[in-house]
């Protein structure tokens, strides 16, 4: 690459290298969109499972189902976009490192700092989009979902009310209507109210109707010219009325009251007002304030996680295993665990709310700057002693567990397929059989084992006896084959 067009003889940049920036940005955006589509499909399927109960109970059609999916879209993006952004940076940088393009950039005088601006720009744009979804679209989606659920529940009630039939479409309210005219006016109404009572509250009226307010999401049964019968043990109270109203909270199957304005459906201004009304330091006020800061801190966290993806992606290279994606997954999980813990502690008053809500971003910003400094100095992410100590702990405690679990899964897989191992009876004798062994783990493997052709298995034995005499032992899966052979 000729960088003379954007560097002077002293090495100072004369103008931004837009060709380089656009090339790096394109390498990041392609895996970002691919990761976004995959993650959105996974999250949508997870959200669809509990949603099916509502769909089936309310008999939702295709058009309303599409509307529900669109209302769920912004909420899912608050978690999908940061994951996809981090994965896009890791995969894009790993691809450049594996193809030696990062090495070519450095050979042409392009340092890591000069490759950083396009990553910053792409991450900032993605974080801005996340912020718009978090602050603006998610509350609107929550409100739209509640209004749609209200309309669907109202339609179910209208369809469930029939002449000369008892209906339970109103939950704990059982309604009987003798006649319904063309204007949807009721005549001869009987209502049994069991809400929060052991004995029903009986109401009989000459006429009535069902009134609904979509904006306030309220359904009211209006009864006129009737009597109310209240039975309490041995006492019986009868009240006459000219007009009587019953407010009905609508609840979709497995959902909350759709008429109640939750924290997720409030705007930022409404959250601030609600916190002042109930008290900023009260438990409910802390909940409103935590929701307010949650919407602001998540986009910043998206930007920080994207920046951490750069040093993780640079861990790949020719002849090295690409560990950026699993490390990125671990960092992402660690971020959300830290965020959840600090949010709970903040809402309980054990941490100052603003400090607790922004603490994860501060911690991971420090990690990002430290990792960027290490890779800029051509050093590993962690100091050598710490890296060696972690590898030793992994080899001693985690690797045996992973190997055992893997062996058990492989064994179960073969059993489910009904596959019998071949030449098991000749394992001990080893006639015509070679055993492969791993000198690092001191384990040996049979041909049926998934590790038999592993590059680390460079030693061969003719039978089990010779392998054991040499100090090797069977892996978890191969040990089960020996046990079956003995039986």
């Amino acid at each position: 690459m000729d960088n003379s067009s954007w560097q002077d003889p002293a090495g100072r940049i004369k103008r931004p290298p837009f060709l380089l920036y656009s090339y790096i940005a394109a390498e990041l955006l392609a895996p970002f969109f691919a990761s976004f589509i995959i993650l959105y499909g996974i999250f949508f399927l997870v959200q669809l499972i509990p949603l099916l109960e509502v769909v089936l109970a309310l008999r939702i059609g295709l058009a309303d189902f599409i509307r529900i999916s669109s209302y769920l879209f912004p909420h899912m993006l608050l978690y999908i976009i940061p994951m996809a952004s981090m994965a896009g940076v890791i995969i894009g940088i790993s691809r450049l490192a594996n193809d030696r393009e990062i090495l070519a950039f450095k050979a042409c005088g392009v340092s890591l700092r000069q490759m950083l601006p396009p990553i910053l720009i792409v991450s900032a744009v993605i974080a801005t989009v996340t912020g718009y979804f978090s602050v603006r679209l998610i509350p609107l989606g929550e409100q739209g979902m509640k209004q749609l659920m209200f309309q669907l529940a109202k339609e179910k009630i209208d369809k469930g009310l029939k002449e000369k039939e008892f209906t339970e479409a109103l939950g704990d309210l059982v309604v009987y209507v003798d006649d319904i005219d063309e204007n949807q006016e009721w005549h001869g109404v009987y209502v049994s109210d069991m809400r929060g009572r052991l004995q029903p509250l009986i109401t009989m009226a000459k006429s009535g109707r069902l009134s609904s307010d979509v904006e306030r999401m309220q359904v009211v049964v209006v009864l006129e010219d009737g009597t109310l019968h209240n039975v309490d043990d041995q006492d019986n109270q009868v009240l006459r009325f000219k007009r009587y109203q019953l407010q009905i909270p609508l609840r979709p199957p497995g959902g909350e009251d759709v008429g109640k304005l939750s924290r997720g459906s409030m705007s930022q201004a409404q959250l601030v007002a609600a916190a002042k009304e109930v008290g900023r330091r009260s438990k409910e006020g802390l909940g409103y304030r935590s929701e307010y800061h949650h919407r602001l801190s998540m986009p910043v966290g998206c930007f920080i996680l994207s920046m951490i993806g750069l040093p993780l992606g640079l861990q790949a290279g020719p002849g090295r295993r690409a560990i950026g994606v699993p490390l990125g997954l671990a960092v992402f999980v660690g971020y959300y665990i830290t965020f959840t813990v600090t949010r709970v502690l903040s809402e309980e008053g054990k941490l100052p709310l603003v400090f607790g809500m922004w603490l994860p971003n501060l911690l991971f910003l420090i990690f990002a700057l430290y990792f960027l400094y290490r890779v800029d100095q051509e050093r590993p992410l962690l100091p050598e002693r710490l890296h060696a100590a972690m590898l030793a702990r992994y080899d001693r405690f985690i690797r045996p567990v992973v190997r055992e679990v893997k062996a058990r899964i492989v064994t179960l897989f073969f059993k489910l397929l009904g596959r019998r191992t071949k030449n098991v009876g000749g394992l001990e004798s080893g006639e015509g059989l070679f055993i492969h062994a791993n000198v690092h783990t001191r384990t040996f493997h049979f041909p049926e084992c998934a590790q038999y052709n592993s590059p680390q298995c460079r030693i061969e034995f003719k039978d089990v006896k010779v392998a054991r005499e040499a100090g090797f032992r069977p892996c978890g899966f191969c040990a089960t084959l020996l046990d079956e052979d003995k039986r």
Side-chain angles (χ1 to χ4, degrees), residues 161 177 179-180 184-187 189 206-210 221:
L161 286 172
V177 180
D179 179 65
I180 302 177
Q184 298 299 314
E185 293 288 337
W186 303 347
H187 302 281
V189 185
K206 290 184 178 180
S207 62
R209 66 182 183 276
L210 190 67
V221 175

Side-chain angles (χ1 to χ4, degrees), residues 9-51:
R12 293 173 296 186
I13 298 178
K14 294 188 297 185
R15 62 181 178 83
F18 293 109
L19 180 60
L20 174 65
Y21 287 1
S22 61
Y23 178 74
I24 296 178
E27 290 294 325
L28 303 181
L29 290 176
F32 165 74
F33 287 114
S35 302
F36 175 84
I37 294 174
I38 295 173
L39 291 173
Y40 178 76
I42 296 174
F43 272 73
F44 180 75
L45 291 177
V46 172
Q47 293 285 337
L48 182 62
I49 295 175
L51 190 63

Side-chain angles (χ1 to χ4, degrees), residues 154 158 161 170 175 177 179-181 183-187 189 191 205-212 219-224 242-246 248:
K154 173 66 169 50
D158 293 336
L161 286 172
L170 299 177
V175 180
V177 180
D179 179 65
I180 302 177
D181 60 19
N183 297 323
Q184 298 299 314
E185 293 288 337
W186 303 347
H187 302 281
V189 185
V191 179
K206 290 184 178 180
S207 62
R209 66 182 183 276
L210 190 67
S211 175
S212 62
V219 172
V220 180
V221 175
V222 181
L223 302 176
E224 297 177 350
K242 286 293 184 181
R243 182 184 177 88
Y244 182 65
Q245 293 184 350
L246 289 171
I248 305 171

Side-chain angles (χ1 to χ4, degrees), residues 232-366:
D232 187 6
D233 293 334
Q234 301 298 326
D235 299 329
N236 186 8
Q237 185 180 16
V238 180
L239 299 176
R240 295 186 179 275
F241 59 84
K242 286 293 184 181
R243 182 184 177 88
Y244 182 65
Q245 293 184 350
L246 289 171
Q247 291 187 351
I248 305 171
L250 296 184
R251 297 178 182 271
E256 61 179 7
D257 183 1
V258 297
K260 182 180 179 181
L261 192 63
S262 62
R263 292 186 302 180
S265 57
M266 291 183 179
S267 64
Q268 295 292 87
Q270 289 175 329
L271 289 172
V272 173
K276 290 181 179 180
E277 182 178 355
V278 299
R280 291 171 56 88
R281 297 188 179 278
S282 65
K283 185 175 182 180
E284 191 175 358
L286 290 175
Y288 290 125
R289 293 173 60 197
S290 70
E291 180 67 23
Y292 179 90
H293 287 280
H294 171 258
R295 297 179 184 177
L296 297 178
S297 61
M298 288 301 296
V300 179
C302 175
F303 178 80
I304 295 174
L305 290 175
S306 301
M307 295 311 303
I308 294 178
L310 172 60
L312 296 182
L314 289 174
Q315 300 308 299
R320 290 190 294 176
R321 183 177 300 177
I323 60 173
V325 173
L327 286 178
L329 179 61
V331 170
F332 185 84
V333 172
Y335 175 82
Y336 275 96
I337 291 176
T338 306
F339 187 87
T340 303
V341 171
T342 55
R343 183 176 185 179
V344 171
L345 294 177
S346 300
E347 291 182 353
E348 292 180 352
K350 297 180 180 180
L351 283 178
L353 189 132
V354 177
F355 174 76
M357 294 299 296
W358 290 91
L359 180 59
N361 287 341
L362 178 61
L363 292 177
F364 280 81
L365 176 61
I366 295 174

Side-chain angles (χ1 to χ4, degrees), residues 117-254:
I119 302 176
L120 291 174
I121 294 173
V122 171
S123 302
V125 171
I126 295 175
T128 303
V129 174
T130 306
Y132 180 73
F133 278 100
S134 176
V135 175
R136 181 64 179 169
L137 293 187
I138 288 179
L140 293 178
E142 292 276 353
Q143 296 175 10
M145 174 69 79
K146 287 183 176 292
Q147 291 180 355
L148 177 60
M149 288 299 173
F150 174 86
Q151 294 174 356
L152 294 175
K154 173 66 169 50
E155 291 176 2
K156 182 182 178 182
I157 293 175
D158 293 336
K159 295 177 182 178
L161 286 172
K162 297 180 181 179
E163 297 178 354
K164 297 180 173 57
E165 291 185 7
F166 289 93
T167 177
E168 297 181 357
L170 299 177
D172 291 332
L173 285 177
V174 178
V175 180
Y176 176 88
V177 180
D178 188 61
D179 179 65
I180 302 177
D181 60 19
E182 296 179 353
N183 297 323
Q184 298 299 314
E185 293 288 337
W186 303 347
H187 302 281
V189 185
Y190 171 92
V191 179
S192 175
D193 188 355
M194 285 291 295
R195 295 177 297 178
R197 301 174 59 89
L198 297 177
Q199 296 292 335
L201 183 65
I202 306 300
T203 307
M204 292 180 287
K206 290 184 178 180
S207 62
R209 66 182 183 276
L210 190 67
S211 175
S212 62
D213 187 349
V214 178
E215 292 184 358
R216 297 182 179 179
M217 289 185 288
Q218 293 180 351
V219 172
V220 180
V221 175
V222 181
L223 302 176
E224 297 177 350
D225 194 9
T227 58
L228 188 149
H229 301 263
N230 184 16
V231 178
D232 187 6
D233 293 334
Q234 301 298 326
D235 299 329
N236 186 8
Q237 185 180 16
V238 180
L239 299 176
R240 295 186 179 275
F241 59 84
K242 286 293 184 181
R243 182 184 177 88
Y244 182 65
Q245 293 184 350
L246 289 171
Q247 291 187 351
I248 305 171
L250 296 184
R251 297 178 182 271

Side-chain angles (χ1 to χ4, degrees), residues 3-4 6-15 108-111 114:
N3 61 340
S4 59
W6 57 277
Q7 284 188 345
D8 59 16
R12 293 173 296 186
I13 298 178
K14 294 188 297 185
R15 62 181 178 83
C108 294
V110 182
S111 66
Q114 294 168 341

